[in-house]
Amino acid sequence: MPAAGQGGIVRAVKAKGYKVAVVGDGVNDAPALAAGDISIAMGAAGSEVAIHSATIALMNNDLRRLPFLIKLSRSTRAVINQNFAFGVVFIIAGLSASAFGIIGPITAAMLHVAGTLIVIFNSARLVRKGEELEHFHPVTVTDKHDHGSHAKPAGEMTPKLA
């Protein structure tokens, strides 16, 4: 289907009131990716069109990672809300206590720093997400000159001898 047609289909589905997620490679379906509410370009390494037309650009083509992406997005949203609440509570508590003379300005500043450190460490929990996933290994091809004795990752340049 032509790329313009894909974008038209996505816009028609959105016009009916649906939320549309588009998953593609970002090259021949860039109009559809741009038209979706959320768009995910798979295997976008080095593809400028995919990076600019999609909401999310994933570096490999492993579709099994999409549920993880959704779970990570939800966790990220929860952490953002927690960090906002921590920040507001620490700032209001520090300013209020300082204004009423309960603590001095230095102690209020230290409370602010403590709130900032809590936000940083809370956010750092997201780094550990996905460690249980198996690592992506590209398909290997054998070099016909080596008769199968040496496997090279697909896409790796093989020097040619004259």
Side-chain angles (χ1 to χ4, degrees):
M1 177 180 299
Q6 291 173 352
I9 291 171
V10 172
R11 282 188 286 281
V13 172
K14 281 179 63 174
K16 292 179 182 178
Y18 293 101
K19 295 287 184 187
V20 180
V22 180
V23 179
D25 63 1
V27 178
N28 62 348
D29 52 4
L33 288 170
D37 289 310
I38 187 165
S39 53
I40 303 168
M42 302 292 292
S47 174
E48 197 71 26
V49 174
I51 292 169
H52 288 294
S53 61
T55 309
I56 301 167
L58 299 178
M59 304 315 268
N60 64 36
N61 295 326
D62 192 2
L63 288 173
R64 295 174 297 171
R65 304 261 176 149
L66 288 177
F68 167 72
L69 175 67
I70 293 168
K71 188 170 105 176
L72 180 63
S73 298
R74 289 180 178 152
S75 296
T76 302
R77 174 70 80 139
V79 167
I80 288 170
N81 291 336
Q82 292 166 6
N83 288 345
F84 182 74
F86 285 141
V88 167
V89 165
F90 271 88
I91 289 173
I92 289 175
L95 284 175
S96 299
S98 182
F100 290 118
I102 298 171
I103 60 173
I106 302 296
T107 308
M110 290 186 342
L111 266 178
H112 178 70
V113 170
T116 303
L117 289 174
I118 288 173
V119 165
I120 290 170
F121 291 132
N122 190 37
S123 299
R125 292 182 309 133
L126 292 172
V127 174
R128 306 260 334 182
K129 297 273 186 190
E131 286 184 348
E132 67 278 1
L133 293 175
E134 76 178 52
H135 293 287
F136 179 73
H137 299 290
V139 177
T140 57
V141 293
T142 54
D143 190 359
K144 63 183 176 183
H145 298 293
D146 289 340
H147 302 292
S149 63
H150 181 67
K152 295 182 185 274
E156 182 176 314
M157 299 298 284
T158 306
K160 300 289 183 189
L161 300 174

